[in-house]
Structure formats: structure tokens, C-alpha cells
Amino acid sequence: MKKGILLLVFSYSLIAAPILAQTYDICVYGGTSAGVIAAYTAKKAGKSVVLIEPGKHLGGLSSGGLGQTDIGNKYAITGIARDFYRQIGKHYGKFEQWTFEPHVAENLFKEYVRKGDFPVWFEYRIVSASKKEGKIQEITVESSNGKGQGKRTVKAKMFIDCTYEGDLMAKAGVNYTVGREANSQYNETWNGVQMLDKHQFPEGIDPYKIPGDPSSGLLWGISTGTLAPTGSGDKLLQTYNFRLCLTKDPANRIPITRPARYDSSKYELLLRQVAVENPKHINWGVLHIADMPNSKTDINNKGGFSTDMIGMNHAYAEADYDTRKKIIKEHEEYTKGFLYFVGHDPRMPEHLRQQMLEWGYPKDEYLDNNHFSHQIYVREARRLVGEYVMTQHNCEGREVVKDGIGLAAYTMDSHNCQRIIVKNPKTGKMEVRNEGDVQVGGFPPYPISYRSLIPKQADCQNLFVPVCLSATHIAYGSIRMEPVFMALAQASAVAATMAIDNKKSVQEIDIAGLQNILLTNPLMDGSQSEILLDNDVTPTKVTTMGNWQTVKTGGKYAATQLMENSKGKGQNSVRFTPDIAKSGMYDIYVYNPSPTGGGGNPGEAADQAKASKTTVRVKNADEPQEAVVIRSQNQVNDWIKLGTYQLTKGNGNFVEITNQNADGVVVADAVLFVPR
């Protein structure tokens, strides 16, 4: 009897015990690449901060397989985001590198946590947010694995939602949207329904299980939906997939085996696509395989039927945790089945099967997840509807904000949203088509509004949303890149500290002051800033002599590059003159762009017109000029180090790119001065 009473009392104490809140200046929710950088920035700015991650890993997609960084233009990446890629470069023995292995990225994010010295709560997910007088007072989180401390509560002055899903934003009751706006809503042209030619099926692909027989039913993966008018809005999400890290190193390779719930009928459309297209290689024929260091890959979708699981993610953005888990598992099973099908189904062409069998899962990646990525590619979920909405007009430069706190530069990029059947007007037959893929670029880097990171004042006054920011579907397709998320997260964290220090709402901070901090203290450690000179960014510091052409094509660093093709005739040069604030030793780099856009591989046709060598003069205010000859057909679209030089305070130093002894096209674009 007493035992029963004691048990009852003990059980009641577990139920009724209050949840003790932990208090911080700033709470960052979501351990994505943006979340780590936001927390690190906040701590470097002198604030107490906690980072809460629903999963077991840091870095999101950057450590989840997306090793071929989507940049658009390297000039757009600044601050700690740029430092991340510099640190990646150090790991691989280079100045800067944008391709990397997943574990290398995750280890670097762990290093930012170590250096920042802030707590990380792994495997905790948000349950609720308490808001009073327009401000989030606290959030409650629960163990996402059932093994933690149950519910925990965090009080903070500022909150930063760095999830790909916008879960904190939603729990706080902030206004958001899901899906595609109609073009008419913001006077755009590339939003809404778009049936175009990229990642598309060739003509003639029959959608029925028995070709020509509608009564046999549709093949797996085809929707019964109908094609809406071009530009009309809907609630559909662009497709998700996994960015796949595989290896062909036999010593590190685990064979791709048949998944437990394998169903070969899911891949019938691939057979029909391959029969028409007759690809010679799985790379660009079935998959997009990007090489990563150490014989690894970052594999993405390619073509009409590939790793994108089109149409199967539409419920994800607003789904509960169990439903999301199910959707992710379905994507994983589909992807593993796809890889197995390509390599083992006897109906696949022999040469494609043999090429696929060269690849396997890497033994040294994702050790706690059976060597498969832990992060699904959530290309888009919720999007904030905030103080300002970024649109196609911003991307294309027709509308330029004055409160920019970061840059974007990537193509307006949406993957497909649905797979449907349409009638071929030429044959009258029903065929399968993908709808939603848009790839429109050709514009230079553009500023992202601070106001797109914050809710409307009536919604919330102490929340930042740097990942699910306020943008239309098509503008978000340009902004949604990992390095940009990192830069926006840094800006959010700096703004949060300013709001705390000045007792202001996020809508009331001094934008000019924020911009100045980001410019003058980019690493948040008080170190001397590097000096970038570029013909677009600092035109008054770049002077030309002779006949140089300004071109928008090629591998330019910002908007344009300067080109000269006299093959050594005359004395043509471009001089870069920095304002040196402090005398000292500087590493000097020149950016070496492709004249025509080639990737810079040795002997690549696109760069054969480039001069084999370029003579560069370096002048210290107190020393004579020094000539440096660089092999300009090497390290194309990358920085080339000239050397380390003692530079004197003032503007008496310069770097001059010349056409001296040139045997082809000479390019001049950007010069970087990095204090030692």
C-alpha cells in the first residue's frame, strides 16, 4: 500500500514538476550552416547564445552532401561565410576552395562551435513559442529521439530561425507563405506554373503502364493533375532530393545493394527516357556527377527522371514531425533504389550499368547513418512574408534596395514541381512532362534587403529569419544558396546584438551601422580587413592604360572583367592602387578569370585563347617595381598568389597587370591584399 502511494506521489512529481527555463541573450534554432555561423557571430559579439539542432549533425546541406557549392559569383560571398571556404581551402592546401567532402565541412562547423564556445542542444525540436506584446518570450523544445531530458524551455531577448523549414517562425505565429505566387501578384514573369525545357523528358515518352492504353493506369511518379495556365500560382513545392556523396575508390567503397523495400516499377520512366535519349554515360545522361576531393562526388539530379523525387514533397513544409520523417524516408528509399536500378536492372543498357557499378557509398562518410546523407535537400519550404519581399525585379536589377546586408548572385533556379501528362500538339498523343523547372540568369550580384530577414512589426519584434527569408518563389530560387544563408545569418546575429544593446526592436535598428560593422569587422574578431580592388566594385582604384575591353561574359569576379588581345603590342596595363591603412606584410592575390566562361581545366577549348603567361608588376611605395610572371592558363577562375610584400601606409603601392610578352588574351579583374 505504501509503495503504491509512493509510486503515485513520484509519478505525480514527474508530471507536475515545472520546466525550468534557461536564459540567453540570443537563441538560434537550427544547426544548419547558417545556424552555426549565426551562433558563432553572436558569441564573438559578446552575447550569450544557445544553438538548438533537431538532428544529430551540424552544417545542414553543407555537411550533408552539397559539396559543389552553388555560388553564382564569388564576389557575393563575404565575412565569415568567405572564411569558411578559406578554411576549407587550408584543409586541402589551397587559399580558398568551394568543393569539399561532407566530413570536412562538418568538422569545420564543429571547430566554429569550439572557437565560439557556446552550447549546442542536439536532437531537440520546437514544440511551442510564447509571445507577449509582439515579442517571443520563450520557446519550448522536446527531445526528438525520445531519449533526452523531455521538454526544455529557453528564454531569450532575440531569436534567429535558421531551419530550412521555418519552424520557429511558424510557431511564433509569423505570417508566411508556401508555394508559388502568381506572376500577377508581384508583376513577375518567371514565377508560378512554368513548363520549360530543362530537366525535361524528350518528346514521345508514353505515360501509361501499357503504352497507348490509358486504362492500364499511369506509371509511378506521374500525377493526375492538369496543367494550369502559365504564371498561375499554387501551393506546390519544388522537388527535393539527396545530394549524393559516392566514391569509386575500391579501398573506401561500399557496394550499392538492393534496398529492403525496393520496387523496380518506380523506375519504368527511366527506361523509356534512356531508350529515346541513348546516353553514352551516366554522367549528364542519368545523373549529374560533380567530382569532389579524394575520389568522391556530389551527385545531383539530371534530366527528366533522376534523383529528384518530383511531386512527393508537397506536404512537407507544414507537416508534423512524424509525417516529415516518413517523407524523408520515402525519398531515401527512392534514391537508394534508383542507384541500385541503374547498376543492376538487366533492362538498363550494359554500359550504363557498368559505369554505375564503379561507384559505392564511402566508408568514411556518414558513419552513424549507414554511409548515406543525413540531410534531405529542402530546396524550399515556408517563406516569410516580412517587411520587404525580394522579387524577380531585385534579381534582375530593376529594383535595388539601399538596406542591403548581403549579396546573391545565382541564377533564378527552381527545380520541377510536378510530373503530369499533356497532349503533344504535333502528334495528338498523351505524353509525360515535368513542370516547374526554371533556370534564368545572366545578372550580376545584387543586394538582399535587411527587411527581408525580419517579420512585419505587428507579427514579431525580436525574430530573424535568414534562411526562410521573405522572397517570392522565383527570387528565393536565386537567393537560397548555402554561402548566402551563412552571410545573412551573420548579418542577423550582428543586428540582434545591436537590437539588444540599443533596446530596439529588429525593425528599428540602425541599418547604416549594421552595414558598417559587416564591412569593417567581417570576421567579428577585430582583425584588419583585407582589401579587395575590382574594376566594378572600386572603379576609382583601378586605372587602365591602352585599349581594354569591358566584358560581361567569362568567369568575372563581380559584374565584368577587363580583356586585352593585342598579343603584347604597345604598353597596355591595368593598375590597382590600394589605400593601405597600416604598413605591414600583405599576401597579394590576383583573380584569374576565364575570358569566355570555361572552367579552367588544362587545355579546355574555352580558354585556349588565354595568354599562357601574364606579367604582373608589384610596387611598394618605398621600393622599385618587381615583375611577377604567372601561368595564366592555370588556376582559372581562382586566386593566384603573387607573393608576400611589405606595403607602406598610403596610396603609393600598386599592382599592375600588363600585356608584356603576352601571346593571347590578357584578363584583369580583381586584386586582393590580405594582411598577414
Side-chain angles (χ1 to χ4, degrees), residues 335-401:
T335 305
K336 289 180 175 178
F338 181 90
L339 298 175
Y340 179 80
F341 182 90
V342 175
H344 293 85
D345 195 285
R347 295 170 293 173
M348 284 292 292
E350 173 69 16
H351 68 284
L352 297 181
R353 278 188 283 141
Q354 292 303 317
Q355 291 166 17
M356 187 71 242
L357 291 174
E358 295 177 5
W359 297 98
Y361 302 117
K363 294 178 182 178
D364 60 347
E365 299 289 353
Y366 313 125
L367 303 185
D368 62 351
N369 200 46
N370 294 318
H371 311 283
F372 190 84
S373 174
H374 51 76
Q375 177 65 59
I376 191 171
Y377 193 170
V378 179
R379 290 188 170 96
E380 185 176 343
R382 298 182 180 99
R383 300 189 311 279
L384 170 70
V385 179
E387 285 279 311
Y388 182 88
V389 179
M390 298 288 293
T391 71
Q392 176 182 336
H393 307 295
N394 298 103
C395 301
E396 296 181 333
R398 291 191 299 274
E399 187 172 327
V400 181
V401 300

Side-chain angles (χ1 to χ4, degrees), residues 137-206:
Q137 302 299 307
E138 62 184 32
I139 66 170
T140 299
V141 297
E142 66 179 7
S143 171
S144 56
N145 64 8
K147 301 176 183 178
Q149 301 178 23
K151 292 184 178 180
R152 303 173 73 176
T153 299
V154 178
K155 293 180 179 289
K157 298 172 184 175
M158 291 286 153
F159 292 83
I160 306 176
D161 186 345
C162 288
T163 63
Y164 295 120
E165 296 85 2
D167 286 342
L168 170 54
M169 168 182 69
K171 293 294 186 184
V174 170
N175 190 24
Y176 66 84
T177 189
V178 174
R180 301 181 287 186
E181 297 89 351
N183 272 330
S184 58
Q185 184 171 348
Y186 292 98
N187 195 28
E188 297 175 302
T189 58
W190 293 111
N191 210 335
V193 172
Q194 301 284 340
M195 183 171 284
L196 302 172
D197 60 342
K198 299 293 191 299
H199 296 298
Q200 188 58 274
F201 287 97
E203 290 189 4
I205 304 296
D206 191 284

Side-chain angles (χ1 to χ4, degrees), residues 48-64:
S48 62
V49 60
V50 62
L51 174 62
I52 304 174
E53 164 52 33
K56 297 187 290 186
H57 296 273
L58 295 174
L61 281 162
S62 289
S63 63

Side-chain angles (χ1 to χ4, degrees), residues 316-343:
Y316 182 89
E318 298 181 292
D320 59 34
Y321 295 124
D322 287 340
T323 302
R324 280 189 189 162
K325 184 177 181 180
K326 180 182 177 183
I327 292 171
I328 293 169
K329 185 64 176 177
E330 289 170 348
H331 278 70
E332 179 181 334
E333 291 173 345
Y334 166 81
T335 305
K336 289 180 175 178
F338 181 90
L339 298 175
Y340 179 80
F341 182 90
V342 175

Side-chain angles (χ1 to χ4, degrees), residues 190 196 392 396 410-413 438-443 474 478:
W190 293 111
L196 302 172
Q392 176 182 336
E396 296 181 333
Y410 202 73
T411 295
M412 290 183 289
D413 177 66
V438 178
Q439 300 176 43
V440 178
F443 42 80
I474 198 61
S478 171

Side-chain angles (χ1 to χ4, degrees), residues 67-68 99 243-244 246 283-284 287-293 296-300 359:
Q68 185 187 38
T99 58
R243 296 294 285 259
L244 298 169
L246 301 182
N283 191 19
W284 294 108
L287 301 163
H288 176 200
I289 303 174
D291 291 334
M292 295 297 108
K296 294 177 185 173
T297 67
D298 170 2
I299 294 178
N300 200 2
W359 297 98

